[in-house]
Amino acid sequence: MAERVIPLIDQRFAALAARVPAQPLTATGLLSDTLGRPLRDLRISVTDRCNFRCSYCMPKEVFDKDYPYLPHSALLSFEEITRLARQFVAHGVRKIRLTGGEPLLRKNIEILIEQLAALKTVDGEPLDITLTTNGSLLARKAKSLKAAGLQRVTVSLDGLDDAVFRSMNDVDFPVAEVLEGIAAAKDAGLGPIKINMVVKRGTNDHEILPMARHFKNSGHVLRFIEYMDVGATNGWRMDEVLPSADVVKLIHAELPLVQLEPSAPGETAERWGYADANGKHAAHAGEIGVISSVTQAFCGDCNRARLSTEGQLYLCLFATKGHDLKSLLRGGATDEDLASAIGHIWHGRDDRYSQLRSTMAPDTGAGKRRVEMSYIGG
Ligand code: SAM
Ligand code: SF4
Ligand code: SF4
């Protein structure tokens, strides 16, 4: 077996200065990048901390008690996040996802949700506001999140077997409490709920079928995510990736599936519905999704921007550098300046890492280091 390399170097993430272009770039909602991709989806990381230590994201060896998490003063305040979000929305964003780290660890997150829920898209519609969580605090918080204006949640869950789950979160957290959180979210009206399962070959692939059986007919959409080479600390290896095509084949052999149309342009998941006896989609049985970030690039219509906990704008999950919007914000920029700067950055975007992955040398920890998932969110 090849030796696993887990670099112990911190990467306090270098940022590019964001500048206000000489020629103002007014937000019209029609912004597109160099590949003609619009800006529709903004993912905001509200904390770089987490109470889990999933080995594929925040391995214990690196994210230990000495890890230099961001000090509170470095975090964007809720007012700063909302002010930036308003400019993104003016450029065409329709969907905001709160993430992290574990977003429910950010104190009073409900206040931020209230502020974001008051924003309207360029067409005057309410924003689609959602949140990705490990579910550990959901049973306690589902009602207040809904009351604040959150519409939906995505819950990460890597298996139903308690021992497998405890070992994957690596903090011995019981699966029953996450299942309680999912039930509370359903009761609070935070649906349709998506359940994200990262599949690591040899670690939790035997949980694929139990998960599919459990969530069929539940009203929740179970999505299988290929284990990705994000960041530089998880010791990623291609032989631990189980291609989505294999996941579909495995489920289809027991629970027949039919492929469904994508729900929206830029949608990351390929949709498969449970079939009835005639091979048609049985809507009541529900559907699954597969996200093939490694085996099938979907950069062509990637319309997602990511705002890090400390206000850096990332144009790709696999970027090595963000654009420092916080310095602009705190340096007295007007709303027009911020909109111009964001427009200028997106306008120059040419990122398409997944499409190029196979042509690139593997990341050995040397050279440019990719940003961690826990820092910019998924
Ligand atoms: N803590 C929250 C959670 O786990 O849902 C939100 C942040 S987490 C970084 C967002 C998503 O990224 C989760 O669904 C997680 O499973 C996924 N993720 C993290 N590292 C990954 C990796 N190496 N490959 C694929 N997905 C990953
Ligand atoms: Fe925490 Fe989510 Fe990363 Fe797991 S995937 S370590 S829950 S941020
Ligand atoms: Fe988007 Fe980058 Fe992922 Fe491609 S690799 S889909 S550009 S985030």
Side-chain angles (χ1 to χ4, degrees), residues 49-58 100-102 133-134 156 158 168-169 373-374:
R49 291 162 198 255
C50 187
N51 53 344
F52 283 13
R53 287 291 176 276
C54 310
S55 63
Y56 53 71
C57 178
M58 295 181 76
E102 174 44 44
T133 173
N134 62 25
S156 303
D158 295 332
M168 286 200 77
N169 64 53
M373 187 86 146
S374 53

Side-chain angles (χ1 to χ4, degrees), residues 50 56-57 99-103 132-134 156 196 198 225-228 230 234 373-374 377-378:
C50 187
Y56 53 71
C57 178
T99 176
E102 174 44 44
T132 304
T133 173
N134 62 25
S156 303
N196 277 357
V198 174
I225 306 180
E226 287 176 352
Y227 169 40
M228 283 187 283
V230 279
N234 63 11
M373 187 86 146
S374 53

